[in-house]
Amino acid sequence: MTERRARRSPYPTWFFLPAAVVYGALFIVPTLASFWFSLTRWNLFEAEFIGLGNFRQFFREPFLVQGVVNTLIYGTLTSGLKTVLGLALAVLLTGRIWFRGTLRTLVFFPVLVSTIGVGFAFEAMMHPTRGVINVALEGIGIDGPHWLTNPSLALVSVALVDVWKGVGLATVIFMAGLVSIPQDYYEAARIDGATRWQQFRRVTVPLVRPATITVVTLSLISGLRYFELIWAMTGGGPGFSSDVIASVIYKQYQAGFYGLATAGNVILFGLIACIVLPLTWWFNRREVEL
Amino acid sequence: MTVLSRSVATAPPARPRRRARWRPALTGGLALLAALVVFVIPFLFIALQAVKTRREASRLDFAWPTEWQAWENLVEVVQERDYMLLLAYLNSTIITVGSVTLLVIFASMVGYVLQRRRSRVNGVVMGAVLAGLMIPPAVVPTIWVLQALGLFKTIHGMILIEVAYNLSFSVLLYRAFIATIPRELDEAAIIDGAKPLQVFFKVVLPLLWPVTVTNIVVQSIGIFNDFTNPLYYLPGRENVTVQLTLFNFQSQFSSQMNLLFMNVLLVTIPPLVVFVFFNRQIVAGMTAGAVKG
Amino acid sequence: MAEVQLRAVRKSFGAVEVIKGVDLRVPSGDFCVFVGPSGCGKSTLLRMIAGLEEVTDGQVLIGGRDVTDAEPSRRGIAMVFQNYALYPHMTVAQNIGFGLSLAKRPKAEIEDRVRHAADILQLSHLLDRKPKALSGGQRQRVAIGRAIVRDPKVFLFDEPLSNLDASLRAEMRLELAELHGRLDATMIYVTHDQVEAMTMADRIVVLNGGRIEQTGAPMDLYRHPATPFVAGFLGSPRMNLYEGEAARAMGARVYGIRPEHVLLSPERGRWHGRVRHVERLGADAIIHLDVPQLGDLVARAAGETTLAPGSEVWASPQDGTEHRFPA
């Protein structure tokens, strides 16, 4: 056996270093630290250990519990609607249809626009008496609801605007999935006598699955995490009726309850992990069976 | 042969040609109509309010403006609070350019080694990348770290935050693209005597240009539109970014709708311009990975 | 020009051993072809000589110098890849001169040597083009040019013709053989195509399952295969091979006879059979027979043969062409 001097790899590990330093310091370290600080009463300078006090408080205050429930509603509602509508639009926009390019552009453009700007515009349009939406509904004899001022409707209204803004992304992801399905399958299905609906159910839906997984996961994660639109449109109101965990974190931070805000972060992390990880596991398992 | 002809025979009769001809036009027309109502009216609404007088805009309707005030509103928005919008544009531009530059360099290096090298470290790196996509950033502890590093309320601190938060996406984009570049190219360069840095910067990086453009476009729009992170990590009047200027008019909400929407319009222009020129790259970037899952 | 020597070379990927102890000497100036089925380790072996794969155990010597741990660029080798591996963002001239410019040679020298290589390969008129604008054959030549300009002691080829169409492949085979004659360098060439191996090699190394099965001149291997594997691998259509009862009847563990050595006769012969199928290739015809004593038997006959499916026929081996492999 000869003595081996390990030759230097052409792909040096130090290429990871610049990214690792920034990512480690500003993402990993705070994430790990959050587990400790969520157990403390904290003012950024001194942290006093109080065990699970913050979490206990979080689940005792009704408005904080409501935030957790709202997060779940908001996440599933936006994710579900984006997936269904995105697939429908993608089928429409990859088919033989006039104005295809224009339609694709129209559907996608809101994705790129400032969320806050969109929020303000829809807030104005959803004004209960003067807003264009209710004025238009009145024109056809419908008494429009108080979109953002009715506590039981506010969260759903914001979610609908979120879908309006985000469905373009789901659509282009589905479109990429659809065009990668070889036409042969559809031809074979037609020769086998499949109707259009059967082609959609038996060919399109199973084969567009990777795109579906991407859309569901992406929209779920962002739906659970972000609060920009809620912040712009309702500020969490009326009352706390449209608060989600992310906006609660901001409010607690503003109020100086840093330990409580951080506990909110840990809860949000746990919530996302509890939903997304089993979901991806389930998706992957099903994929093997296919 | 019999099997084949039988299955052809049971297939539904081919759709009549004539029907197929008007169908795309009809669906297209209806879809266009619906899209105009759903997707265009909100933007028309914004544009219309932006050119009205304060009083007419406060009515929030679609009435045609009796008095065009586009230029006056524009001037007023720009001058608001001592030219805050210009400062915000400057800050947002610095943050966007700075963080996207770093993202391109850092992420391409990580994506390259991650894709090329088989090693135990890769599992850890890949785990970190996926964690970055999923885990919501812990806000207050991040402020705590930024303060310790002297980066809180600084533009360069904000740049590094944007780099950290958007690295995962860029790394995945680069990794997927690098997989399409034959490894034999690296090997040819190695045999030609290239050092690791030369292999990467002289041979591989130039070939990554398409995905680099995608990265630049997609990330700069995202970072330019970012509201939450500057809100947390970059407080202070002199640090204002464009998304935060929109809140200038929120306190006097009902009375300054014209200025608010002029501001929205101004903030929407950069992404619009980018979209017009890089439509294809944006879509490519946002759909990358969708097919492979 | 240099001799290449492998001493007890082994290679493992994790727990899987892909090269299981190879000893080989390729004499200076030889055109040596590594041939074998996919997964036999031939490419890995070549890449270990190039220095692109680390050697798990054993030694690699080039020109008598131990290069086992040397950088690829310090081994005096050049390599031509299966997909050419031309740098797409560089012109032909830059592709050929890349190694020289990395070595910081003076501009005039680079230009000179690039032009010289281009002349040899008739690429002079293409020097300013990008690889995208070249045909498959031209790309292949540029890849060879990039090798020539390094003035290597050993050329390594990794299935360089497998992406070309049949007629171009035949042309390039001839060109490579001529190039070998002109450059007089040691060449090691990997292929899975036994035609390339037979036509180009001074010496063939047949690999199977990470081991050398047999080494020798092409016609030696064709006439005297040491194992049933080599017998079956070289020659087309492949040799008829029989095991078990049929082979034991003829005094061997494995009995083999090449299709071109099977004589057919309407009246007499060793085996009686019936024609199942006739493949007419033009110059000759491949006859598939059902022979009760053996099973399937393939024979090569003249292109104008009148045999048709269903005909009864007698077959016998030509004298001295039978292969009997002992247990």
Side-chain angles (χ1 to χ4, degrees):
Chain A
M1 181 103 187
T2 40
E3 192 73 20
R4 282 273 168 278
R5 183 176 52 88
R7 254 183 309 126
R8 282 223 322 266
S9 163
Y11 308 116
T13 312
W14 69 258
F15 270 39
F16 290 143
L17 207 62
V21 168
V22 175
Y23 189 74
L26 298 183
F27 187 75
I28 304 280
V29 169
T31 301
L32 296 178
S34 71
F35 291 104
W36 159 249
F37 286 120
S38 67
L39 304 174
T40 64
R41 187 174 294 127
W42 184 31
N43 63 6
L44 278 179
F45 302 102
E46 283 173 7
E48 181 198 342
F49 183 77
I50 54 166
L52 293 174
N54 290 322
F55 293 94
R56 230 173 276 133
Q57 189 179 353
F58 216 105
F59 288 108
R60 213 183 301 125
E61 298 271 4
F63 74 94
L64 296 181
V65 176
Q66 168 134 48
V68 177
V69 175
N70 283 349
T71 307
L72 287 172
I73 296 174
Y74 192 83
T76 35
L77 192 62
T78 51
S79 171
L81 282 177
K82 282 177 192 172
T83 308
V84 173
L85 294 176
L87 180 56
L89 283 170
V91 170
L92 185 74
L93 297 184
T94 47
R96 280 200 306 131
I97 176 177
W98 283 22
F99 314 116
R100 200 161 59 178
T102 317
L103 286 167
R104 287 180 182 180
T105 307
L106 289 179
V107 172
F108 185 70
F109 185 62
V111 173
L112 305 175
V113 177
S114 149
T115 309
I116 303 295
V118 166
F120 286 159
F122 272 92
E123 187 184 0
M125 295 197 306
M126 285 177 164
H127 190 281
T129 51
R130 285 173 288 158
V132 258
I133 295 178
N134 279 3
V135 171
L137 287 176
E138 213 174 292
I140 52 170
I142 299 175
D143 195 9
H146 289 206
W147 300 100
L148 298 172
T149 45
N150 177 349
S152 51
L153 194 61
L155 186 74
V156 177
S157 302
V158 180
L160 290 179
V161 177
D162 193 327
V163 173
W164 178 88
K165 183 172 172 0
V167 75
L169 179 56
T171 306
V172 293
I173 292 175
F174 272 124
M175 275 166 38
L178 287 178
V179 298
S180 75
I181 300 176
Q183 278 302 307
D184 313 15
Y185 292 124
Y186 291 101
E187 286 163 7
R190 265 167 56 197
I191 288 171
D192 284 339
T195 62
R196 278 185 170 232
W197 174 248
Q198 284 171 326
Q199 287 175 35
F200 176 76
R201 278 290 300 134
R202 304 295 186 80
V203 180
T204 308
V205 172
L207 291 179
V208 85
R209 193 185 161 75
T212 313
I213 295 175
T214 310
V215 169
V216 170
T217 325
L218 273 185
S219 58
L220 200 53
I221 290 176
S222 66
L224 295 170
R225 257 170 81 152
Y226 293 111
F227 74 105
E228 293 191 8
L229 203 55
I230 292 174
W231 198 246
M233 293 180 70
T234 66
F240 302 103
S241 60
S242 63
D243 257 326
V244 291
I245 301 179
S247 62
V248 166
I249 293 172
Y250 183 65
K251 285 179 175 174
Q252 299 302 331
Y253 160 72
Q254 271 188 316
F257 299 122
Y258 297 146
L260 194 59
T262 308
N265 253 126
V266 172
I267 290 170
L268 183 56
F269 176 16
L271 195 72
I272 293 178
C274 285
I275 295 173
V276 174
L277 290 182
L279 199 67
T280 18
W281 176 79
W282 183 73
F283 275 141
N284 289 336
R285 198 193 48 147
R286 284 278 309 274
E287 192 145 35
V288 176
E289 280 171 20
L290 268 174
Chain B
M1 215 44 211
T2 41
V3 177
L4 186 66
S5 48
R6 199 184 321 127
S7 59
V8 170
T10 51
R15 276 169 234 291
R17 278 281 150 109
R18 216 167 296 136
R19 197 173 140 209
R21 209 172 290 158
W22 57 257
R23 196 186 175 117
L26 183 75
T27 20
L30 288 176
L32 189 66
L33 205 65
L36 286 176
V37 171
V38 175
F39 290 106
V40 177
I41 282 184
F43 289 109
L44 270 179
F45 177 80
I46 294 173
L48 204 57
Q49 307 310 316
V51 299
K52 286 184 182 176
T53 60
R54 180 170 302 191
R55 177 201 287 240
E56 283 184 337
S58 70
R59 285 203 291 267
L60 300 178
D61 57 14
F62 258 95
W64 203 249
T66 50
E67 206 183 324
W68 285 67
Q69 276 222 358
W71 177 250
E72 289 86 338
N73 289 349
L74 179 74
V75 170
E76 201 172 335
V77 168
V78 171
Q79 286 176 342
E80 178 77 17
R81 299 211 192 174
D82 203 10
Y83 295 94
M84 192 190 231
L85 189 63
L86 297 186
L87 179 65
Y89 255 100
L90 181 68
N91 285 339
S92 285
T93 309
I94 294 174
I95 292 170
T96 307
V97 171
S99 48
V100 170
T101 309
L102 292 182
L103 271 172
V104 163
I105 298 170
F106 291 3
S108 60
M109 288 166 77
V110 173
Y112 171 65
V113 176
L114 194 59
Q115 201 281 323
R116 285 299 201 245
R117 188 171 180 170
R118 265 182 306 186
S119 93
R120 241 165 286 136
V121 189
N122 280 4
V124 179
V125 176
M126 208 50 208
V129 167
L130 295 179
L133 285 183
M134 199 190 78
I135 299 175
V139 178
V140 193
T142 308
I143 292 173
W144 173 70
V145 170
L146 285 172
Q147 277 188 336
L149 298 172
L151 293 172
F152 188 50
K153 297 188 194 176
T154 65
I155 298 275
H156 41 283
M158 193 62 232
I159 289 175
L160 294 179
I161 285 282
E162 296 288 8
V163 171
Y165 289 1
N166 293 299
L167 253 178
S168 294
F169 180 71
S170 286
V171 167
L172 288 181
L173 273 186
Y174 272 114
R175 194 184 75 126
F177 191 84
I178 288 165
T180 67
I181 294 178
R183 192 187 281 261
E184 291 184 344
L185 278 182
D186 316 2
E187 291 174 342
I190 292 165
I191 287 180
D192 273 340
K195 305 262 179 319
L197 274 178
Q198 290 172 317
V199 175
F200 181 67
F201 283 104
K202 291 200 169 185
V203 176
V204 177
L205 196 57
L207 301 179
L208 300 182
W209 184 240
V211 75
T212 299
V213 172
T214 302
N215 253 306
I216 291 174
V217 170
V218 173
Q219 296 286 28
S220 43
I221 288 178
I223 292 169
F224 188 84
N225 279 343
D226 189 9
F227 162 73
T228 317
N229 294 314
L231 180 72
Y232 276 124
Y233 307 122
L234 203 57
R237 204 191 160 280
E238 69 284 3
N239 289 329
V240 68
T241 59
V242 284
Q243 302 303 319
L244 289 164
T245 60
L246 294 173
F247 282 88
N248 279 348
F249 307 100
Q250 209 210 16
S251 43
Q252 310 103 309
F253 186 69
S254 51
S255 58
Q256 295 203 324
M257 295 301 273
N258 54 341
L259 301 187
L260 170 65
F261 287 114
M262 178 54 81
N263 203 349
V264 170
L265 214 54
L266 292 178
V267 163
T268 308
I269 287 172
L272 178 70
V273 171
V274 173
F275 177 66
V276 168
F277 286 105
F278 297 100
N279 186 351
R280 216 161 38 84
Q281 283 86 350
I282 295 174
V283 172
M286 295 201 161
T287 56
V291 181
K292 278 177 292 170
Chain C
M1 197 154 84
E3 171 187 277
V4 175
Q5 212 178 339
L6 304 178
R7 287 187 190 154
V9 165
R10 287 173 186 277
K11 174 71 184 175
S12 310
F13 291 112
V16 187
E17 196 174 32
V18 290
I19 301 291
K20 298 164 180 166
V22 165
D23 283 286
L24 180 69
R25 207 178 67 86
V26 180
S28 193
D30 228 25
F31 196 116
C32 173
V33 175
F34 292 176
V35 68
S38 67
C40 71
K42 55 190 189 297
S43 277
T44 310
L45 205 56
L46 188 79
R47 291 166 56 83
M48 283 158 83
I49 297 171
L52 294 172
E53 298 283 358
E54 277 186 40
V55 178
T56 310
D57 194 18
Q59 278 179 300
V60 178
L61 289 86
I62 294 176
R65 187 168 71 95
D66 183 350
V67 296
T68 317
D69 296 318
E71 296 288 337
S73 53
R74 302 271 165 87
R75 294 183 176 210
I77 53 112
M79 187 155 168
V80 176
F81 293 88
Q82 182 173 2
N83 300 313
Y84 324 128
L86 302 182
Y87 312 120
H89 56 300
M90 301 183 197
T91 63
V92 168
Q94 288 167 330
N95 259 286
I96 297 178
F98 185 60
L100 297 172
S101 78
L102 284 176
K104 304 236 157 56
R105 310 314 295 251
K107 246 197 169 134
E109 182 195 335
I110 297 177
E111 237 171 78
D112 226 44
R113 286 169 68 175
V114 168
R115 191 160 312 125
H116 177 70
D119 281 345
I120 294 180
L121 296 159
Q122 296 139 41
L123 286 169
S124 310
H125 59 297
L126 300 172
L127 284 175
D128 293 327
R129 296 232 191 133
K130 293 268 178 78
K132 221 183 346 187
L134 302 180
S135 71
Q138 289 167 336
R139 288 179 201 186
Q140 186 63 70
R141 280 200 196 90
V142 176
I144 294 169
R146 199 167 57 182
I148 289 179
V149 82
R150 294 177 55 77
D151 201 10
K153 289 180 278 187
V154 181
F155 283 83
L156 305 174
F157 296 91
D158 190 2
E159 309 223 16
L161 305 186
S162 60
N163 285 346
L164 301 177
D165 64 44
S167 68
L168 202 51
R169 206 180 308 162
E171 201 178 298
M172 287 303 295
R173 276 206 307 260
L174 196 66
E175 247 177 76
L176 279 176
E178 282 174 5
L179 192 71
H180 178 235
R182 178 153 23 147
L183 296 176
D184 207 24
T186 312
M187 293 188 173
I188 301 181
Y189 186 106
V190 162
T191 180
H192 63 270
D193 179 353
Q194 51 103 10
V195 177
E196 279 175 28
M198 292 296 290
T199 52
M200 295 164 77
D202 294 325
R203 172 189 312 266
I204 295 180
V205 176
V206 182
L207 287 152
N208 183 29
R211 285 200 180 80
I212 292 182
E213 197 82 17
Q214 191 177 1
T215 306
M219 282 314 284
D220 285 346
L221 296 196
Y222 176 80
R223 285 192 207 103
H224 309 294
T227 64
F229 178 83
V230 177
F233 196 80
L234 296 179
S236 172
R238 66 192 294 268
M239 185 188 284
N240 297 291
L241 289 167
Y242 303 99
E243 292 179 293
E245 197 55 46
R248 264 198 299 282
M250 282 168 292
R253 196 183 62 82
V254 177
Y255 173 85
I257 179 76
R258 293 196 184 276
E260 51 271 46
H261 298 146
V262 175
L263 301 175
L264 299 178
S265 151
E267 291 107 24
R268 72 182 85 74
R270 191 189 293 179
W271 304 300
H272 181 255
R274 178 191 297 271
V275 176
R276 193 174 70 233
H277 182 63
V278 179
E279 290 177 291
R280 293 183 187 279
L281 303 179
D284 39 25
I286 310 299
I287 317 289
H288 296 260
L289 302 166
D290 282 327
V291 176
Q293 281 165 278
L294 297 172
D296 294 348
L297 177 69
V298 177
R300 187 193 286 267
E304 305 297 337
T305 179
T306 53
L307 285 170
S311 346
E312 307 266 331
V313 73
W314 289 89
S316 348
Q318 224 174 68
D319 285 345
T321 60
E322 292 166 281
H323 299 273
R324 290 189 170 83
F325 300 100

